[in-house]
Amino acid sequence: MAEPFAVRIEVRGYETDSQGHLNQAVYLQYAEHARWSLLRAAGIAQADLLDKGVGPVALENTIRYRSELRAGDETTVSCAFVWGERKTFRMEQTITRADGTVAATVSSLGGLLDLKERRMVEDPRAYFRTLAADPALLGL
């Protein structure tokens, strides 16, 4: 099995809390950045989704904090789709320090929203497959 898609992010000082740890909300920002980076790498821009009248939505996020991150730490944020049979899909992500220590895992449930009807599309895989220049990056 191929390695999941990943991006590197350096923890910036302004992202830390009063204890010097990466602020808990920033983990979700890192995860979101990796998800959009994956879509771009597969050839899907945000404008492409909007032109199709759909937008990705987050339905649920679970973060498990494993090891602290501090300003200046280099991280890698992985991102992989786990496709279901219905309207939703999962995104599994790991935030790893440069030394290989897992700092956090993020498991998200998402879907594609029809922006006109305001309902989830029946088969999000079909939209992604149609738009992607490299659907294999998306597990398709």
Side-chain angles (χ1 to χ4, degrees), residues 5-99:
F5 178 85
V7 296
R8 292 193 177 280
I9 301 174
E10 181 178 338
V11 176
R12 294 161 290 249
Y14 62 83
E15 297 173 322
T16 59
D17 61 19
S18 60
Q19 290 87 30
H21 302 129
L22 183 65
N23 179 280
Q24 52 90 23
V26 178
Y27 287 85
L28 285 176
Q29 293 173 356
Y30 285 8
E32 182 79 0
H33 173 70
R35 290 191 294 263
W36 280 108
S37 295
L38 170 56
L39 290 176
R40 279 192 311 276
I44 302 172
Q46 188 174 19
D48 298 329
L49 293 168
L50 293 174
D51 287 346
K52 281 282 198 188
V54 297
V57 292
L59 302 170
E60 173 185 292
N61 291 298
T62 301
I63 306 171
R64 289 193 170 80
Y65 305 99
R66 307 266 308 272
S67 178
E68 66 186 4
L69 290 171
R70 297 185 172 275
D73 283 349
E74 293 284 336
T75 68
T76 301
V77 184
S78 69
C79 186
F81 277 90
V82 178
W83 296 102
E85 296 301 319
R86 300 189 51 150
K87 297 178 183 182
T88 62
F89 52 85
R90 295 206 74 79
M91 299 294 294
E92 298 297 336
Q93 299 179 264
T94 304
I95 302 172
T96 307
R97 294 185 355 200
D99 67 3

Coordinates of all heavy atoms in Angstrom, one line a residue, residues 5-99:
F5 N -0.9 10.6 1.4 CA -0.5 12.0 1.1 C -0.1 12.7 2.4 O -0.7 12.5 3.4 CB -1.6 12.7 0.4 CG -1.3 14.1 0.0 CD1 -0.6 14.4 -1.2 CD2 -1.6 15.2 0.9 CE1 -0.3 15.7 -1.5 CE2 -1.3 16.5 0.5 CZ -0.7 16.8 -0.6
A6 N 0.9 13.6 2.3 CA 1.3 14.3 3.5 C 1.9 15.7 3.1 O 2.5 15.9 2.0 CB 2.3 13.5 4.3
V7 N 1.8 16.7 4.0 CA 2.4 18.0 3.9 C 3.2 18.3 5.2 O 2.9 17.8 6.2 CB 1.3 19.1 3.7 CG1 0.6 18.9 2.4 CG2 0.3 19.2 4.8
R8 N 4.2 19.1 5.0 CA 5.0 19.5 6.1 C 4.5 20.9 6.6 O 4.2 21.8 5.8 CB 6.5 19.6 5.8 CG 7.1 18.3 5.4 CD 8.6 18.5 5.4 NE 9.2 17.2 5.2 CZ 9.5 16.3 6.1 NH1 9.1 16.5 7.3 NH2 10.1 15.2 5.8
I9 N 4.5 21.0 7.9 CA 4.1 22.3 8.6 C 5.0 22.5 9.8 O 5.2 21.6 10.6 CB 2.6 22.3 9.0 CG1 1.7 22.0 7.9 CG2 2.3 23.6 9.8 CD1 0.2 21.8 8.3
E10 N 5.5 23.8 9.9 CA 6.3 24.1 11.0 C 5.4 24.9 12.0 O 4.6 25.8 11.6 CB 7.5 25.1 10.7 CG 8.3 25.5 11.9 CD 9.5 26.3 11.5 OE1 9.9 26.3 10.3 OE2 10.0 27.0 12.4
V11 N 5.4 24.5 13.3 CA 4.6 25.1 14.3 C 5.1 26.6 14.5 O 6.3 26.8 14.8 CB 4.6 24.3 15.6 CG1 3.8 25.1 16.7 CG2 4.1 22.9 15.4
R12 N 4.2 27.5 14.3 CA 4.6 28.9 14.5 C 4.2 29.4 15.9 O 3.3 28.9 16.5 CB 3.8 29.7 13.5 CG 4.3 29.4 12.0 CD 3.3 29.8 11.0 NE 2.1 29.0 11.0 CZ 1.7 28.1 10.1 NH1 2.5 27.9 9.0 NH2 0.6 27.5 10.2
G13 N 5.0 30.3 16.5 CA 4.9 30.7 17.8 C 3.5 31.2 18.2 O 3.0 31.0 19.3
Y14 N 2.9 32.0 17.3 CA 1.6 32.5 17.5 C 0.5 31.5 17.6 O -0.6 31.8 18.0 CB 1.2 33.6 16.5 CG 1.2 33.2 15.1 CD1 0.0 32.6 14.6 CD2 2.2 33.4 14.2 CE1 -0.1 32.2 13.3 CE2 2.2 33.0 12.9 CZ 1.0 32.4 12.4 OH 0.9 32.0 11.1
E15 N 0.8 30.2 17.2 CA -0.2 29.2 17.3 C -0.2 28.4 18.6 O -1.0 27.5 18.8 CB 0.1 28.1 16.2 CG 0.0 28.7 14.8 CD 0.4 27.8 13.7 OE1 1.4 27.0 13.9 OE2 -0.2 27.8 12.6
T16 N 0.6 28.9 19.5 CA 0.7 28.2 20.8 C -0.1 28.8 21.9 O -0.5 30.0 21.8 CB 2.2 28.1 21.3 OG1 2.8 29.4 21.4 CG2 3.1 27.3 20.3
D17 N -0.4 28.1 22.9 CA -1.2 28.6 24.0 C -0.3 29.1 25.2 O 0.9 29.1 25.0 CB -2.2 27.5 24.5 CG -1.5 26.2 25.0 OD1 -0.3 26.3 25.3 OD2 -2.2 25.2 25.1
S18 N -0.9 29.4 26.3 CA -0.1 30.0 27.4 C 0.9 29.0 28.0 O 1.8 29.4 28.7 CB -1.1 30.5 28.5 OG -1.9 29.4 29.0
Q19 N 0.7 27.7 27.8 CA 1.7 26.7 28.2 C 2.8 26.4 27.2 O 3.7 25.6 27.4 CB 1.1 25.4 28.6 CG 0.2 25.4 29.8 CD -1.2 25.8 29.5 OE1 -1.7 25.6 28.4 NE2 -1.9 26.5 30.4
G20 N 2.7 27.1 26.0 CA 3.7 26.9 25.0 C 3.4 25.7 24.1 O 4.2 25.3 23.3
H21 N 2.2 25.1 24.3 CA 1.8 24.0 23.4 C 1.0 24.5 22.2 O 0.4 25.6 22.3 CB 0.9 23.0 24.2 CG 1.4 22.5 25.4 ND1 0.8 22.5 26.6 CD2 2.6 21.8 25.6 CE1 1.5 21.9 27.5 NE2 2.6 21.5 27.0
L22 N 1.0 23.7 21.1 CA 0.2 24.1 20.0 C -1.3 24.1 20.5 O -1.8 23.2 21.1 CB 0.3 23.0 18.9 CG -0.4 23.3 17.6 CD1 0.1 24.6 16.9 CD2 -0.4 22.1 16.7
N23 N -1.9 25.2 20.2 CA -3.3 25.4 20.6 C -4.2 24.3 20.0 O -4.0 24.0 18.9 CB -3.8 26.8 20.2 CG -5.3 27.0 20.6 OD1 -6.2 26.6 19.9 ND2 -5.5 27.8 21.6
Q24 N -5.1 23.8 20.8 CA -5.9 22.7 20.4 C -6.7 22.9 19.1 O -6.9 22.0 18.3 CB -6.9 22.2 21.5 CG -7.7 23.3 22.1 CD -9.0 23.5 21.5 OE1 -9.5 22.6 20.8 NE2 -9.6 24.7 21.6
A25 N -7.2 24.1 18.9 CA -7.9 24.4 17.7 C -7.0 24.4 16.4 O -7.5 24.1 15.3 CB -8.6 25.8 17.8
V26 N -5.7 24.6 16.6 CA -4.8 24.7 15.4 C -4.6 23.3 14.8 O -4.4 23.2 13.6 CB -3.5 25.3 15.8 CG1 -2.5 25.4 14.6 CG2 -3.7 26.8 16.3
Y27 N -4.8 22.2 15.6 CA -4.7 20.9 15.0 C -5.7 20.7 13.9 O -5.4 20.1 12.9 CB -4.9 19.8 16.1 CG -3.8 19.7 17.1 CD1 -3.7 20.5 18.2 CD2 -2.8 18.7 16.9 CE1 -2.6 20.3 19.1 CE2 -1.8 18.5 17.8 CZ -1.7 19.4 18.9 OH -0.6 19.2 19.7
L28 N -6.9 21.2 14.1 CA -8.0 21.1 13.1 C -7.6 22.0 11.8 O -7.8 21.6 10.7 CB -9.3 21.6 13.6 CG -10.0 20.6 14.5 CD1 -11.3 21.2 15.0 CD2 -10.3 19.3 13.8
Q29 N -6.9 23.1 12.1 CA -6.5 23.9 10.9 C -5.4 23.2 10.1 O -5.4 23.2 8.9 CB -5.9 25.3 11.4 CG -7.0 26.2 12.0 CD -6.4 27.4 12.6 OE1 -5.2 27.6 12.7 NE2 -7.3 28.3 13.1
Y30 N -4.5 22.5 10.8 CA -3.5 21.7 10.1 C -4.1 20.6 9.3 O -3.7 20.3 8.2 CB -2.5 21.1 11.1 CG -1.5 22.0 11.7 CD1 -1.5 23.4 11.5 CD2 -0.4 21.6 12.5 CE1 -0.6 24.3 12.1 CE2 0.5 22.4 13.1 CZ 0.4 23.8 12.9 OH 1.4 24.6 13.4
A31 N -5.1 19.9 9.9 CA -5.8 18.9 9.2 C -6.5 19.4 8.0 O -6.5 18.8 6.9 CB -6.8 18.2 10.2
E32 N -7.2 20.5 8.1 CA -7.9 21.1 7.0 C -6.9 21.5 5.9 O -7.2 21.3 4.7 CB -8.7 22.4 7.5 CG -9.5 23.1 6.4 CD -10.8 22.3 6.1 OE1 -11.1 21.3 6.7 OE2 -11.5 22.8 5.2
H33 N -5.8 22.1 6.3 CA -4.7 22.5 5.3 C -4.3 21.2 4.5 O -4.2 21.3 3.3 CB -3.6 23.1 6.0 CG -2.4 23.4 5.1 ND1 -2.4 24.4 4.1 CD2 -1.2 22.8 5.0 CE1 -1.3 24.4 3.5 NE2 -0.5 23.4 4.0
A34 N -4.1 20.1 5.2 CA -3.6 18.9 4.5 C -4.7 18.4 3.6 O -4.4 17.9 2.5 CB -3.3 17.8 5.5
R35 N -6.0 18.5 4.0 CA -7.1 18.0 3.1 C -7.2 18.8 1.8 O -7.3 18.3 0.7 CB -8.4 18.0 3.9 CG -8.5 17.0 5.0 CD -9.9 16.9 5.5 NE -10.4 18.0 6.2 CZ -10.3 18.2 7.5 NH1 -9.8 17.3 8.3 NH2 -10.8 19.3 8.1
W36 N -7.1 20.1 1.9 CA -7.1 21.0 0.7 C -5.9 20.8 -0.1 O -5.9 20.8 -1.4 CB -7.3 22.5 1.1 CG -8.7 22.8 1.4 CD1 -9.3 23.1 2.6 CD2 -9.8 22.8 0.5 NE1 -10.6 23.3 2.5 CE2 -11.0 23.2 1.2 CE3 -9.9 22.7 -0.9 CZ2 -12.2 23.3 0.6 CZ3 -11.1 22.8 -1.5 CH2 -12.3 23.1 -0.8
S37 N -4.7 20.6 0.5 CA -3.5 20.3 -0.2 C -3.6 19.0 -1.0 O -3.2 18.9 -2.2 CB -2.3 20.2 0.7 OG -2.1 21.5 1.3
L38 N -4.2 18.0 -0.4 CA -4.5 16.7 -1.1 C -5.4 16.9 -2.3 O -5.1 16.4 -3.4 CB -5.1 15.7 -0.2 CG -5.6 14.4 -0.8 CD1 -4.5 13.7 -1.6 CD2 -6.2 13.5 0.3
L39 N -6.4 17.7 -2.2 CA -7.3 17.9 -3.3 C -6.6 18.6 -4.4 O -6.7 18.3 -5.6 CB -8.6 18.7 -2.8 CG -9.6 17.9 -2.0 CD1 -10.7 18.9 -1.5 CD2 -10.1 16.7 -2.7
R40 N -5.8 19.7 -4.1 CA -5.0 20.4 -5.1 C -4.1 19.5 -5.8 O -3.9 19.5 -7.0 CB -4.3 21.6 -4.5 CG -5.2 22.8 -4.3 CD -4.5 24.1 -4.0 NE -3.5 23.9 -2.9 CZ -3.8 24.0 -1.6 NH1 -5.0 24.3 -1.2 NH2 -2.9 23.9 -0.7
A41 N -3.4 18.6 -5.0 CA -2.4 17.7 -5.6 C -3.1 16.7 -6.6 O -2.5 16.3 -7.6 CB -1.7 16.9 -4.5
A42 N -4.3 16.4 -6.3 CA -5.1 15.5 -7.2 C -5.7 16.2 -8.4 O -6.3 15.6 -9.2 CB -6.2 14.8 -6.4
G43 N -5.5 17.6 -8.4 CA -6.0 18.4 -9.5 C -7.4 19.0 -9.3 O -8.0 19.5 -10.2
I44 N -7.8 19.1 -8.0 CA -9.1 19.7 -7.7 C -8.9 21.0 -6.9 O -8.4 21.0 -5.8 CB -10.0 18.8 -6.9 CG1 -10.2 17.4 -7.6 CG2 -11.3 19.4 -6.6 CD1 -10.9 16.4 -6.8
A45 N -9.3 22.1 -7.5 CA -9.3 23.4 -6.9 C -10.6 23.7 -6.2 O -11.6 23.1 -6.6 CB -8.9 24.5 -7.8
Q46 N -10.6 24.5 -5.2 CA -11.9 24.9 -4.6 C -12.9 25.4 -5.6 O -14.1 25.1 -5.6 CB -11.6 25.9 -3.5 CG -12.8 26.2 -2.6 CD -12.5 27.1 -1.5 OE1 -11.5 27.8 -1.5 NE2 -13.4 27.1 -0.5
A47 N -12.4 26.2 -6.6 CA -13.3 26.8 -7.6 C -13.9 25.6 -8.4 O -15.0 25.8 -8.9 CB -12.5 27.7 -8.5
D48 N -13.2 24.5 -8.6 CA -13.8 23.4 -9.4 C -15.0 22.9 -8.7 O -16.0 22.5 -9.4 CB -12.7 22.3 -9.6 CG -11.5 22.7 -10.4 OD1 -11.6 23.6 -11.3 OD2 -10.4 22.2 -10.1
L49 N -14.9 22.7 -7.4 CA -16.0 22.2 -6.6 C -17.2 23.2 -6.7 O -18.4 22.8 -6.9 CB -15.6 21.9 -5.2 CG -14.6 20.8 -5.0 CD1 -14.1 20.8 -3.6 CD2 -15.3 19.5 -5.3
L50 N -16.9 24.5 -6.5 CA -17.9 25.5 -6.6 C -18.6 25.6 -7.9 O -19.8 25.7 -8.0 CB -17.4 26.9 -6.2 CG -16.9 27.0 -4.7 CD1 -16.2 28.3 -4.5 CD2 -18.1 26.8 -3.8
D51 N -17.8 25.4 -9.0 CA -18.4 25.4 -10.4 C -19.3 24.2 -10.5 O -20.3 24.3 -11.3 CB -17.2 25.3 -11.4 CG -16.5 26.6 -11.5 OD1 -16.9 27.6 -11.0 OD2 -15.4 26.6 -12.1
K52 N -19.1 23.1 -9.8 CA -20.0 21.9 -9.9 C -21.2 22.1 -9.0 O -22.1 21.2 -8.9 CB -19.2 20.7 -9.5 CG -18.4 20.1 -10.6 CD -19.3 19.4 -11.6 CE -18.4 18.4 -12.4 NZ -19.2 17.8 -13.5
G53 N -21.2 23.2 -8.2 CA -22.3 23.4 -7.3 C -22.2 22.6 -6.0 O -23.3 22.4 -5.3
V54 N -21.0 22.2 -5.6 CA -20.9 21.4 -4.4 C -19.7 22.0 -3.5 O -18.9 22.7 -4.0 CB -20.6 19.9 -4.7 CG1 -21.7 19.2 -5.4 CG2 -19.3 19.7 -5.4
G55 N -19.8 21.6 -2.2 CA -18.7 22.0 -1.3 C -18.6 21.0 -0.2 O -19.5 20.4 0.2
P56 N -17.3 20.7 0.1 CA -17.1 19.7 1.2 C -17.6 20.2 2.5 O -17.5 21.4 2.8 CB -15.6 19.5 1.2 CG -15.0 20.7 0.5 CD -16.1 21.3 -0.4
V57 N -18.1 19.3 3.3 CA -18.6 19.7 4.7 C -18.0 18.7 5.7 O -17.9 17.5 5.4 CB -20.1 19.7 4.8 CG1 -20.7 20.9 4.0 CG2 -20.7 18.4 4.4
A58 N -17.7 19.3 6.9 CA -17.3 18.5 8.0 C -18.5 18.1 8.8 O -19.2 19.1 9.2 CB -16.2 19.2 8.8
L59 N -18.7 16.9 9.1 CA -19.8 16.4 9.9 C -19.4 16.1 11.3 O -20.2 16.1 12.3 CB -20.5 15.3 9.2 CG -21.0 15.6 7.8 CD1 -21.5 14.3 7.2 CD2 -22.1 16.6 7.9
E60 N -18.1 15.6 11.5 CA -17.7 15.2 12.8 C -16.1 15.2 12.7 O -15.5 14.8 11.7 CB -18.2 13.8 13.0 CG -17.7 13.1 14.2 CD -18.2 11.6 14.2 OE1 -19.4 11.5 14.4 OE2 -17.4 10.7 14.0
N61 N -15.5 15.6 13.8 CA -14.0 15.5 13.9 C -13.7 14.9 15.3 O -14.3 15.4 16.3 CB -13.4 16.9 13.8 CG -13.5 17.5 12.4 OD1 -12.9 16.9 11.5 ND2 -14.2 18.6 12.3
T62 N -12.8 14.0 15.3 CA -12.3 13.4 16.6 C -10.8 13.6 16.6 O -10.1 13.1 15.6 CB -12.6 12.0 16.7 OG1 -14.0 11.8 16.7 CG2 -12.1 11.4 18.0
I63 N -10.2 14.3 17.6 CA -8.8 14.5 17.7 C -8.3 13.7 18.9 O -8.9 13.8 20.0 CB -8.5 16.0 17.9 CG1 -9.1 16.8 16.8 CG2 -6.9 16.2 18.0 CD1 -8.9 18.3 17.0
R64 N -7.3 13.0 18.7 CA -6.6 12.3 19.9 C -5.2 12.9 20.0 O -4.4 12.8 19.1 CB -6.5 10.8 19.6 CG -7.9 10.2 19.7 CD -7.8 8.7 19.8 NE -9.1 8.2 20.2 CZ -10.1 8.0 19.3 NH1 -10.0 8.3 18.1 NH2 -11.3 7.5 19.7
Y65 N -5.0 13.6 21.1 CA -3.7 14.3 21.3 C -2.8 13.2 22.0 O -3.1 12.6 23.0 CB -3.9 15.5 22.3 CG -4.9 16.5 21.7 CD1 -6.2 16.5 22.2 CD2 -4.5 17.4 20.8 CE1 -7.1 17.4 21.7 CE2 -5.4 18.3 20.3 CZ -6.7 18.3 20.7 OH -7.6 19.2 20.3
R66 N -1.6 13.1 21.4 CA -0.7 12.0 21.9 C 0.6 12.6 22.4 O 1.2 12.0 23.4 CB -0.4 11.1 20.7 CG -1.6 10.5 20.0 CD -2.0 9.2 20.5 NE -1.0 8.2 20.5 CZ -0.7 7.4 19.5 NH1 -1.3 7.5 18.4 NH2 0.3 6.5 19.7
S67 N 1.1 13.7 21.8 CA 2.4 14.2 22.3 C 2.4 15.7 21.9 O 2.0 16.1 20.9 CB 3.6 13.5 21.5 OG 4.8 14.0 21.9
E68 N 2.9 16.5 22.8 CA 2.9 17.9 22.6 C 3.7 18.4 21.5 O 4.7 17.8 21.1 CB 3.3 18.7 23.9 CG 4.8 18.5 24.3 CD 5.1 19.1 25.6 OE1 4.3 19.6 26.3 OE2 6.3 19.0 25.9
L69 N 3.2 19.5 20.9 CA 4.0 20.2 19.8 C 4.2 21.6 20.4 O 3.4 22.2 21.0 CB 3.2 20.3 18.6 CG 3.0 19.0 17.8 CD1 2.0 19.2 16.7 CD2 4.3 18.5 17.3
R70 N 5.4 22.1 20.0 CA 5.9 23.5 20.5 C 6.3 24.3 19.3 O 6.6 23.7 18.2 CB 7.0 23.4 21.5 CG 6.5 22.6 22.8 CD 7.6 22.7 23.8 NE 7.2 22.2 25.1 CZ 6.6 22.9 26.0 NH1 6.3 24.2 25.8 NH2 6.2 22.4 27.2
A71 N 6.4 25.6 19.5 CA 6.9 26.5 18.4 C 8.2 26.0 17.9 O 9.1 25.6 18.6 CB 7.0 27.9 19.0
G72 N 8.3 26.0 16.5 CA 9.5 25.5 15.8 C 9.5 24.1 15.5 O 10.4 23.6 14.7
D73 N 8.6 23.3 16.1 CA 8.6 21.8 15.8 C 8.2 21.7 14.3 O 7.3 22.3 13.8 CB 7.6 21.1 16.6 CG 8.1 20.8 18.0 OD1 9.3 21.0 18.3 OD2 7.3 20.4 18.9
E74 N 8.9 20.8 13.6 CA 8.5 20.4 12.2 C 7.5 19.2 12.3 O 7.8 18.3 13.1 CB 9.8 20.0 11.5 CG 10.7 21.1 11.2 CD 10.3 22.0 10.1 OE1 9.5 21.6 9.2 OE2 10.7 23.2 10.1
T75 N 6.4 19.3 11.6 CA 5.5 18.2 11.6 C 5.2 17.8 10.2 O 5.4 18.5 9.2 CB 4.1 18.7 12.2 OG1 3.5 19.7 11.4 CG2 4.3 19.2 13.6
T76 N 4.6 16.6 10.1 CA 4.1 16.1 8.8 C 2.7 15.7 9.1 O 2.4 15.1 10.1 CB 4.9 14.9 8.3 OG1 6.2 15.2 8.1 CG2 4.3 14.3 7.0
V77 N 1.8 16.2 8.2 CA 0.3 15.9 8.4 C -0.1 15.1 7.2 O -0.1 15.5 6.1 CB -0.5 17.2 8.5 CG1 -2.0 16.9 8.7 CG2 0.1 18.2 9.5
S78 N -0.5 13.8 7.5 CA -0.9 12.9 6.5 C -2.4 13.0 6.3 O -3.1 13.5 7.2 CB -0.5 11.4 6.8 OG -1.3 11.0 7.9
C79 N -2.9 12.5 5.2 CA -4.3 12.6 4.9 C -4.7 11.5 3.9 O -4.0 11.3 2.9 CB -4.5 14.0 4.2 SG -6.2 14.4 3.9
A80 N -5.7 10.7 4.3 CA -6.2 9.6 3.4 C -7.7 9.5 3.5 O -8.3 9.6 4.6 CB -5.5 8.3 3.8
F81 N -8.3 9.4 2.3 CA -9.8 9.2 2.2 C -10.0 7.7 2.6 O -9.3 6.8 2.2 CB -10.3 9.4 0.8 CG -10.6 10.8 0.5 CD1 -9.6 11.6 -0.1 CD2 -11.9 11.3 0.7 CE1 -9.9 12.9 -0.5 CE2 -12.2 12.6 0.3 CZ -11.2 13.4 -0.2
V82 N -11.1 7.5 3.3 CA -11.7 6.1 3.5 C -13.1 6.2 3.0 O -13.9 6.9 3.6 CB -11.6 5.7 5.0 CG1 -12.2 4.3 5.1 CG2 -10.2 5.8 5.5
W83 N -13.3 5.6 1.9 CA -14.6 5.8 1.2 C -15.7 4.8 1.8 O -15.4 3.6 2.0 CB -14.5 5.5 -0.3 CG -13.6 6.6 -0.9 CD1 -12.3 6.5 -1.3 CD2 -14.0 7.9 -1.2 NE1 -11.9 7.6 -1.8 CE2 -12.9 8.6 -1.7 CE3 -15.2 8.7 -1.0 CZ2 -12.9 9.9 -2.1 CZ3 -15.2 10.0 -1.4 CH2 -14.0 10.6 -2.0
G84 N -16.9 5.3 2.0 CA -18.0 4.4 2.4 C -18.9 4.2 1.2 O -18.5 4.5 0.0
E85 N -20.0 3.6 1.4 CA -20.9 3.2 0.3 C -22.0 4.2 0.2 O -22.9 4.1 -0.7 CB -21.5 1.8 0.6 CG -20.5 0.7 0.6 CD -19.7 0.6 -0.7 OE1 -20.4 0.7 -1.8 OE2 -18.5 0.4 -0.7
R86 N -22.1 5.2 1.0 CA -23.2 6.2 1.0 C -22.8 7.6 0.7 O -21.8 7.8 0.0 CB -24.0 6.0 2.3 CG -24.5 4.6 2.4 CD -25.4 4.4 3.5 NE -26.5 5.4 3.4 CZ -27.7 5.3 3.9 NH1 -28.0 4.2 4.4 NH2 -28.6 6.2 3.8
K87 N -23.4 8.5 1.4 CA -23.2 9.9 1.1 C -21.9 10.5 1.8 O -21.5 11.6 1.6 CB -24.4 10.7 1.6 CG -25.7 10.4 0.9 CD -26.8 11.2 1.5 CE -28.1 10.9 0.8 NZ -29.2 11.7 1.3
T88 N -21.4 9.7 2.8 CA -20.3 10.3 3.6 C -19.0 9.5 3.3 O -19.0 8.4 2.7 CB -20.6 10.2 5.1 OG1 -20.8 8.8 5.4 CG2 -21.8 11.0 5.4
F89 N -17.9 10.1 3.8 CA -16.6 9.4 3.7 C -15.8 9.9 4.9 O -16.2 10.8 5.6 CB -15.8 9.9 2.4 CG -15.8 11.4 2.2 CD1 -14.8 12.1 2.8 CD2 -16.7 12.0 1.4 CE1 -14.7 13.5 2.6 CE2 -16.7 13.4 1.2 CZ -15.7 14.1 1.8
R90 N -14.8 9.1 5.2 CA -13.9 9.5 6.4 C -12.6 10.0 5.8 O -12.1 9.6 4.8 CB -13.7 8.3 7.2 CG -14.9 7.8 7.9 CD -14.7 7.0 9.2 NE -14.3 7.9 10.3 CZ -15.2 8.7 11.0 NH1 -16.5 8.7 10.7 NH2 -14.8 9.4 12.0
M91 N -12.0 10.9 6.6 CA -10.6 11.3 6.4 C -9.8 10.9 7.6 O -10.2 11.3 8.7 CB -10.5 12.8 6.2 CG -11.3 13.4 5.0 SD -10.7 12.9 3.4 CE -9.1 13.7 3.4
E92 N -8.8 10.1 7.4 CA -7.9 9.7 8.5 C -6.6 10.4 8.4 O -5.9 10.4 7.3 CB -7.7 8.2 8.5 CG -9.0 7.4 8.7 CD -9.7 7.6 10.0 OE1 -9.0 8.0 11.0 OE2 -10.9 7.4 10.1
Q93 N -6.2 11.1 9.4 CA -5.0 11.9 9.4 C -4.1 11.7 10.6 O -4.6 11.5 11.7 CB -5.4 13.4 9.3 CG -6.2 13.7 8.0 CD -6.6 15.1 7.9 OE1 -7.7 15.5 8.3 NE2 -5.6 16.0 7.4
T94 N -2.8 11.8 10.4 CA -1.8 11.7 11.5 C -0.9 12.9 11.5 O -0.4 13.2 10.4 CB -1.0 10.4 11.4 OG1 -1.9 9.3 11.4 CG2 -0.1 10.3 12.6
I95 N -0.7 13.6 12.6 CA 0.2 14.7 12.7 C 1.4 14.1 13.5 O 1.3 13.6 14.6 CB -0.4 15.9 13.5 CG1 -1.6 16.3 12.7 CG2 0.6 17.0 13.6 CD1 -2.4 17.4 13.5
T96 N 2.6 14.1 12.8 CA 3.8 13.4 13.3 C 4.9 14.4 13.4 O 5.2 15.2 12.5 CB 4.2 12.3 12.3 OG1 3.1 11.5 12.1 CG2 5.3 11.5 12.9
R97 N 5.7 14.4 14.5 CA 6.8 15.2 14.7 C 8.0 14.6 13.8 O 7.9 13.5 13.4 CB 7.3 15.2 16.2 CG 6.2 15.9 17.0 CD 6.6 16.1 18.5 NE 7.9 15.5 18.9 CZ 8.2 15.2 20.1 NH1 7.3 15.4 21.1 NH2 9.3 14.6 20.4
A98 N 9.0 15.5 13.6 CA 10.1 15.1 12.7 C 10.8 13.8 13.2 O 11.4 13.1 12.4 CB 11.1 16.3 12.6
D99 N 10.8 13.6 14.5 CA 11.5 12.4 15.1 C 10.6 11.1 15.0 O 11.0 10.1 15.4 CB 11.9 12.6 16.5 CG 10.7 12.8 17.5 OD1 9.6 12.6 17.1 OD2 11.0 13.0 18.7

